[in-house]
Amino acid sequence: MILSKIKKHIFLFLVRLKQKKTITHLLAQDNPLLTIIVESFLQLKYNKLSITDDSIFEACEKYRNQLLQDDTVISFEIFGSNKTMLVKDICEKAASKPIWAQFLYLITKRLTSPHFLEIGTNLGVSGTYILEALKHKKDSKLYTMEGLPQLCEIAQNQFAKISIHSKYKIYKGLYKNTFSKLLIDDNNYNIVFIDGNHKKEPTIKYFIDLQAKLSSPAIIIFDDINWSLDMQKAWEIIKSNKNVTYSIDMFKFGILIFDKNSNNKKADYKLHLAY
Ligand SMILES: C[S@@+](CC[C@H](N)C(=O)[O-])C[C@H]1O[C@@H](n2cnc3c(N)ncnc32)[C@H](O)[C@@H]1O
């Protein structure tokens, strides 16, 4: 535990030391998606948010705060478990923290027609930010997947407060049943957030299978790439895939860009947004 904390801090210290240079390199690639990521990163890192963004973030955090006081009991029966948890504890444990959800929002907002796939709806906290970013865009939609029926219902109620129904779809059920449906559905995605099942084999499988559903160019964001040794191994395998044009390791998020039209040499970067 202490060793992994030390490793994390050394990693982040070294990343921060080179950050200016890295950003110059990233921008010099002149790749539209890479530029979107860097601009979103800089906006958040240096707190250059517009008044509109600030007030949207405030509204999103109101939803989180409401969940953090919710004593509803959630059953994990669908996973074959007797476990129960309170909504407030699930929110504390599983929902993306504000800075990472805001990063997703800023990236999504910069895309012209985001077709966003999220694996791991949970209570819809990250989904709230994503939907806020795309709700006024013409050709755009959030697709999100969740196994626990009660969480699907809570997220759905929240999404209905933000946007019209045609802007989002929740694939309800265990991924082993819904993922195959998603693969045959007539949708392609230009941004994917993989935050469902933080294990090596499923993470690699989502990555491999989803490549057929990506438009080009596209962004894939993995959450918690350093959550365990298994996730670290998964990230190493994933980022070396021949179809990946760029990778950015943010210690928490691992971001990939797929761009069939890029003639640039494959490159790996590291950035530090938050601890
Ligand atoms: C980390 S949470 C997602 C958090 C959410 N993206 C956010 O930031 O607000 C992961 C979710 O994936 C769901 N999940 C994990 N494994 C699953 C599976 N095999 N089938 C269906 N849902 C699953 C869990 O129930 C949980 O709600």
Side-chain angles (χ1 to χ4, degrees):
M1 187 71 175
I2 292 177
L3 197 67
S4 71
K5 274 200 173 152
I6 294 172
K7 264 173 86 180
K8 174 178 173 178
H9 283 274
I10 293 174
F11 171 92
L12 294 176
F13 173 74
L14 294 174
V15 171
R16 274 179 29 214
L17 216 56
K18 295 186 201 156
Q19 193 128 283
K20 263 195 179 158
K21 230 178 167 179
T22 306
I23 287 168
T24 309
H25 269 262
L26 280 159
L27 292 173
Q29 298 292 319
D30 203 20
N31 178 280
L33 288 189
L34 214 46
T35 304
I36 282 178
I37 287 167
V38 175
E39 284 174 352
S40 307
F41 169 84
L42 291 173
Q43 201 185 350
L44 205 51
K45 181 98 184 159
Y46 298 106
N47 202 11
K48 298 250 162 43
L49 299 166
S50 67
I51 296 171
T52 315
D53 292 338
D54 262 337
S55 67
I56 287 174
F57 293 172
E58 215 173 284
C60 295
E61 288 309 307
K62 247 191 202 162
Y63 175 54
R64 185 198 305 275
N65 289 333
Q66 183 190 313
L67 294 168
L68 288 170
Q69 289 164 28
D70 189 332
D71 287 322
T72 308
V73 178
I74 303 295
S75 152
F76 281 66
E77 200 183 335
I78 194 161
F79 292 132
S81 159
N82 295 331
K83 187 174 111 174
T84 58
M85 258 176 107
L86 303 181
V87 163
K88 63 182 182 191
D89 297 330
I90 294 180
C91 181
E92 180 69 51
K93 203 169 158 226
S96 295
K97 297 291 174 263
I99 193 155
W100 297 103
Q102 289 164 8
F103 190 41
L104 294 175
Y105 165 94
L106 292 170
I107 295 169
T108 309
K109 202 179 140 188
R110 282 181 164 83
L111 295 173
T112 315
S113 0
H115 284 252
F116 199 123
L117 171 66
E118 175 184 56
I119 303 186
T121 319
N122 194 247
L123 293 154
V125 171
S126 51
T128 292
Y129 278 90
I130 297 161
L131 201 54
E132 282 289 356
L134 61 70
K135 70 179 181 189
H136 296 306
K137 291 180 186 281
K138 263 192 188 151
D139 177 21
S140 64
K141 187 159 176 168
L142 166 65
Y143 303 83
T144 178
M145 309 174 75
E146 176 55 50
L148 294 172
Q150 290 170 280
L151 299 193
C152 291
E153 199 184 323
I154 293 171
Q156 187 155 325
N157 289 340
Q158 163 66 2
F159 295 165
K161 288 180 192 152
I162 301 173
S163 171
I164 50 169
H165 191 235
S166 58
K167 283 284 174 194
Y168 58 88
K169 170 173 174 145
I170 306 180
Y171 283 87
K172 299 171 186 173
L174 293 176
Y175 300 153
K176 64 178 182 195
N177 303 322
T178 52
F179 200 68
S180 50
K181 278 191 207 152
L182 179 119
L183 292 178
I184 54 170
D185 271 0
D186 202 16
N187 307 315
N188 283 303
Y189 310 101
N190 54 6
I191 176 158
V192 179
F193 179 41
I194 300 186
D195 186 20
N197 188 339
H198 295 353
K199 292 189 187 126
K200 183 180 166 200
E201 299 313 329
T203 303
I204 294 174
K205 186 174 162 38
Y206 300 148
F207 168 73
I208 301 287
D209 291 352
L210 278 173
Q211 286 190 40
K213 303 296 291 174
L214 294 181
S215 36
S216 177
I219 301 172
I220 302 194
I221 302 170
F222 293 86
D223 192 31
D224 281 332
I225 55 168
N226 276 291
W227 191 65
S228 63
L229 202 61
D230 250 18
M231 281 300 285
Q232 287 173 347
K233 285 183 190 159
W235 171 246
E236 287 305 316
I237 293 170
I238 282 166
K239 75 171 192 181
S240 356
N241 184 277
K242 64 177 183 0
N243 298 325
V244 173
T245 316
Y246 300 107
S247 82
I248 307 175
D249 179 341
M250 301 182 77
F251 200 84
K252 179 159 173 60
F253 276 5
I255 303 182
L256 304 178
I257 289 179
F258 286 73
D259 189 347
K260 286 182 185 153
N261 293 325
S262 169
N263 296 319
N264 293 352
K265 206 168 151 266
K266 182 175 182 303
D268 300 313
Y269 297 96
K270 293 183 172 73
L271 286 177
H272 171 246
L273 179 62
Y275 285 98

